[in-house]
Amino acid sequence: MKLDLNSTQATRYLQVYDYYKELIAAGRLAEGTKMPSIRRCAQQLGLSRTTIETAYFCLAADGYIISRPQSGYYVTGRCTKAASDKTAQHVQKAPENKILYNFTSNNVDADSFDFNLWRRYIKNTLRQDGRMLTYGEPQGEYELRQVLCDYVISKRNAVCRPENIVIGAGSQTLMNILCPLIKERRRVCFHDSRFAQGMVIFEDYGFTLEQDKSSAEILYMTPSHMTSHGGIMNVEKRLSLLKECAENDRLIIEDDYDNEFRYFSKPIPCLQGLAGGENVVYLSTFSKLLLPSIRLSFMILPDSLLPLYEKKKMLYNQTASKSEQLALCQFLRDGHLDSQIRKLKRLYSNKAKLLSSLLEQAFSARAEVSPGESVFLVQLRIKCNLDSRRLQELCKERGLLLFASDADDKTGWARLALSCCEVPAEQFPDAVQLLAKVVREASV
């Protein structure tokens, strides 16, 4: 409702009454909200204090507001509660299953990060008063891009210069920068069709999502995490993919998350490095290595896209915190990332071993337990009357989230995978017993 004081349909105090009544009933004035004073309301609306006072008296008489001595009028909430209760009678909410154990989470273990160390770097950064008074560079702080350049060259065999690197708060933010640069290519194929957060960005920019890579002009690949079980793409397949894309003029977007967490071997050189830095856009993040809440990701653009980016970059605001960029820069310079990776590998490999042991005890000969390619993943091949997807659904109904295999066996065995990152180790026994119970019930 709009307050129309020129209307002749009702007296002015009733118009004021109806105006506030509708705001309160709709919940736009919440319980406990202080009403404008009579004097202030009269000044704002250009009405007499008597008119406003009469409207307030009517609102108070009907229970919408209450007068508190020497304080003013406040919304009671009684009428809004009645309205919401009435609405709730017509709305039936679907019951939500409480998640007890999330073995699919991308969150990290509470013991995985030294918060005190990170606080010291943040505090040191905030002492740089002059730098904190300015906005961050649109492309990211140059010294951090230098450190990242050295890191990906030495650890991932990438080919780049600091000028090729763009920093942002998460991969979605970087994709919003990338999509306008590659808009002449209209068809994109995602290797992992579960990556809805990435697919929606391309859809919003008008790209067509293709199921078959042969009809796509852009391939979105995750070579370090090809399956739900964390399988990796070997060097031969990477070279074959690069050759095929070069022959068909396809652009590759390489999302290289989880590349540090290899169980049996050192990380394989990234596609970007194998391609000599051409025709591949490289994406990576520090969310898994540090904290998900530290939204620092980076993108390496090939030289062919740099002129387009240079024309537009000043129109983009930097989304990553400047203080966190500078803190991460010094954190990397001081060698803490290598020690952090070693710490995470020890932590997650120990958790994975414990989880594997408990699964073997619970299922004995009915299951085959093996480590996943990622250090934090455990693979479970279990004899069951249900396929992997159905077993996954039953577990979810009981509050247990886990990965289902991309491809089932045809021999009555379901294939699952469990990430041991978020769930505390002390909860593993109860989680395994719950899984065993679901499997027993499904086998009856």
Side-chain angles (χ1 to χ4, degrees):
M1 172 184 175
K2 292 184 178 180
L3 188 58
D4 183 7
L5 298 178
N6 294 319
S7 173
T8 59
Q9 294 182 355
T11 56
R12 289 186 171 180
Y13 85 87
L14 285 177
Q15 290 184 57
V16 176
Y17 168 87
D18 288 337
Y19 173 70
Y20 282 114
K21 173 184 172 182
E22 289 193 16
L23 289 179
I24 294 170
R28 295 173 65 186
L29 285 179
E31 179 180 357
T33 301
K34 185 177 181 180
M35 299 286 290
S37 68
I38 291 176
R39 179 180 178 182
R40 181 183 172 192
C41 189
Q43 291 176 342
Q44 290 176 339
L45 299 180
L47 299 174
S48 68
R49 294 181 60 183
T50 301
T51 298
I52 302 301
E53 190 172 28
T54 302
Y56 277 23
F57 283 159
C58 291
L59 289 167
D62 290 344
Y64 290 99
I65 62 176
I66 188 171
S67 175
R68 295 179 182 172
Q70 299 181 350
S71 180
Y73 287 92
Y74 292 82
V75 177
T76 63
R78 285 178 289 181
C79 295
T80 55
K81 184 177 185 302
S84 63
D85 289 345
K86 185 176 181 181
T87 302
Q89 295 176 1
H90 301 283
V91 179
Q92 294 183 353
K93 292 185 178 180
E96 295 183 0
N97 296 321
K98 182 179 179 181
I99 303 305
L100 302 176
Y101 311 105
N102 189 351
F103 287 100
T104 65
S105 173
N106 286 323
N107 294 332
V108 298
D109 190 283
D111 296 327
S112 68
F113 190 69
D114 188 342
F115 286 91
N116 290 328
L117 177 63
W118 183 249
R119 287 190 192 98
R120 290 203 295 272
Y121 280 96
I122 290 292
K123 288 179 180 178
N124 289 337
T125 298
L126 294 177
R127 293 191 183 101
Q128 303 177 39
D129 296 356
R131 298 199 68 173
M132 293 299 103
L133 296 175
T134 60
Y135 289 104
E137 295 183 32
Q139 193 168 343
E141 299 305 302
Y142 187 78
E143 56 261 60
L144 176 57
R145 288 189 279 128
Q146 283 182 310
V147 173
L148 290 176
C149 184
D150 294 338
Y151 173 76
V152 294
I153 289 174
S154 63
K155 299 296 184 181
R156 303 298 296 119
N157 290 62
V159 177
C160 70
R161 309 182 309 280
E163 290 73 21
N164 295 99
I165 295 178
V166 182
I167 296 169
S171 297
Q172 279 189 316
T173 297
L174 294 173
M175 280 186 260
N176 275 303
I177 296 174
L178 176 63
C179 284
L181 304 180
I182 57 176
K183 61 183 179 181
E184 75 280 358
R185 303 172 183 263
R186 304 310 303 166
R187 301 187 303 277
V188 58
C189 177
F190 279 74
H191 166 75
D192 187 350
S193 59
R194 297 165 300 180
F195 187 30
Q197 297 95 328
M199 296 168 74
V200 70
I201 298 295
F202 281 85
E203 285 183 317
D204 287 346
Y205 278 94
F207 287 82
T208 301
L209 300 181
E210 301 286 348
Q211 299 294 324
D212 186 357
K213 69 176 183 178
S214 63
S215 58
E217 299 168 284
I218 304 168
L219 298 184
Y220 195 103
M221 304 297 297
T222 55
S224 295
H225 204 123
M226 294 294 289
T227 68
S228 60
H229 290 200
I232 61 175
M233 181 185 291
N234 60 37
V235 173
E236 290 77 16
K237 289 184 178 179
R238 293 183 188 221
L239 292 173
S240 175
L241 175 66
L242 290 172
K243 180 180 179 181
E244 178 187 340
C245 288
E247 292 173 350
N248 293 279
D249 190 29
R250 294 194 187 103
L251 177 70
I252 298 175
I253 301 174
E254 178 181 14
D255 193 340
D256 202 28
Y257 75 102
D258 284 355
N259 65 73
E260 288 86 358
F261 298 110
R262 299 298 98 201
Y263 213 129
F264 301 113
S265 61
K266 293 182 179 180
I268 295 174
C270 63
L271 289 170
Q272 196 268 0
L274 292 172
E278 298 178 2
N279 207 41
V280 178
V281 176
Y282 181 91
L283 292 171
S284 191
T285 180
F286 288 94
S287 296
K288 195 82 170 185
L289 288 174
L290 302 178
L291 291 172
S293 56
I294 300 176
R295 302 297 294 158
L296 280 171
S297 300
F298 64 96
M299 171 172 65
I300 302 177
L301 293 174
D303 289 341
S304 59
L305 293 179
L306 283 182
L308 288 174
Y309 175 68
E310 289 292 334
K311 291 179 182 179
K312 295 188 174 187
K313 74 176 184 180
M314 298 309 297
L315 301 176
Y316 294 107
N317 291 323
Q318 178 52 249
T319 54
S321 164
K322 185 175 183 178
S323 59
E324 288 187 346
Q325 288 186 63
L326 296 175
L328 178 62
C329 178
Q330 195 59 47
F331 185 90
L332 295 174
R333 282 174 173 169
D334 292 344
H336 290 299
L337 187 61
D338 287 337
S339 60
Q340 173 70 4
I341 293 173
R342 290 193 297 269
K343 176 182 179 180
L344 290 176
K345 285 187 174 181
R346 286 194 303 270
L347 172 66
Y348 290 139
S349 62
N350 288 336
K351 289 183 70 176
K353 289 176 183 177
L354 173 60
L355 182 58
S356 297
S357 177
L358 291 170
L359 289 168
E360 289 171 350
Q361 293 174 23
F363 292 102
S364 187
R366 295 187 60 197
E368 296 175 0
V369 182
S370 60
E373 289 289 350
S374 294
V375 69
F376 47 81
L377 277 175
V378 174
Q379 298 184 80
L380 177 64
R381 183 171 177 266
I382 185 168
K383 194 169 185 179
C384 183
N385 296 333
L386 304 176
D387 61 29
S388 301
R389 297 294 179 188
R390 181 54 185 154
L391 182 55
Q392 179 191 43
E393 293 172 0
L394 290 177
C395 288
K396 183 177 180 180
E397 292 174 4
R398 303 293 289 273
L400 177 62
L401 297 186
L402 35 73
F403 294 109
S405 172
D406 298 322
D408 271 325
D409 290 330
K410 296 181 180 180
T411 57
W413 292 72
R415 299 176 63 196
L416 306 171
L418 298 85
S419 168
C420 62
C421 289
E422 177 181 323
V423 180
E426 56 268 23
Q427 294 183 11
F428 284 177
D430 291 338
V432 170
Q433 290 304 314
L434 177 58
L435 175 58
K437 184 178 180 180
V438 174
V439 173
R440 283 197 306 270
E441 294 174 354
S443 300
V444 174

